[in-house]
Amino acid sequence: MQLVVARIGRAHGIKGEVTVEVRTDEPELRLAPGAVLATDPASAGPLTIETGRVHSGRLLLRFEGVRDRTAAEALRNTLLIAEIDPAELPEEEDEYYDHQLMDLDVVTKDGVEVGRITEISHLPSQDLFIVERPDGSEVMIPFVEAIVTEIDLEEQRAVIDPPPGLIDDRAEIVSSRDADEDADDDGAEEADGDEAGASATADGGTVTDGDRP
């Protein structure tokens, strides 16, 4: 099985190094010196990793035969592809390869359908599920234990316990609008008396009364 493990970014320096966008949880294995990787487009490879190092939080690679900035820049946006055994599993119990997570159905702990995982984004701080919703829109879900409570590969689903607003910000907007309307009604009723008027905060909904006799 072939899996995309990185995308080549811009050239770094003048000696052929490139930055890479890592797309694997095991860069020390998949992107180690000596690794031979297929490419997309195929005409750019195969590429053999000669050296690798981390600089300012980013992985830098140099490939055999790539010796200057011009050659490095020509590889920009090339995808690096590793060949792995489909039956291979990560060493840690709670780790998964991207291909195991792709296309899983995402549901809340209450059984509400959220969508389908279409991409795994590997960021420096955390991994994200890119989930396509039934209406075609996308939502990003952090792959952290507090939110993704269960991965069931047999049932092909990921169960999540999302914080408010993560997957349904529209509900938050409606709630805020209703609160604004209630605040306006309260203000209109108080305008008939000698009491100080009420004021709504910018985030819509909190009413603060002035000094009253």
Side-chain angles (χ1 to χ4, degrees), residues 44-71:
L47 294 172
T48 301
I49 298 176
E50 185 174 277
T51 63
R53 66 187 179 97
V54 176
H55 175 73
S56 298
R58 301 209 61 168
L59 180 61
L60 303 180
L61 297 180
R62 180 185 288 117
F63 301 101
E64 292 182 3
V66 179
R67 289 288 178 262
D68 56 39
R69 187 178 184 87
T70 300

Side-chain angles (χ1 to χ4, degrees), residues 170-182 201-205:
R170 288 169 294 183
E172 295 292 318
I173 294 172
V174 171
S175 176
S176 177
R177 184 184 301 118
D178 290 343
D180 286 340
E181 291 173 354
D182 291 342
T201 62
D203 57 3

Side-chain angles (χ1 to χ4, degrees), residues 110-177:
D110 299 323
V112 178
E113 178 186 4
V114 178
R116 178 178 61 90
I117 298 175
T118 57
E119 183 181 344
I120 315 295
S121 180
H122 299 283
L123 303 180
S125 58
Q126 63 186 9
D127 296 333
L128 292 175
F129 291 163
I130 310 302
V131 177
E132 181 178 317
R133 308 196 69 170
D135 62 4
S137 62
E138 290 185 337
V139 61
M140 293 183 292
I141 298 177
F143 187 19
V144 295
E145 187 177 358
I147 296 176
V148 181
T149 60
E150 180 185 358
I151 298 292
D152 189 334
L153 296 181
E154 289 189 4
E155 295 294 329
Q156 286 291 286
R157 69 177 185 177
V159 180
I160 66 172
D161 183 14
L166 178 64
I167 63 172
D168 198 359
D169 53 357
R170 288 169 294 183
E172 295 292 318
I173 294 172
V174 171
S175 176
S176 177
R177 184 184 301 118

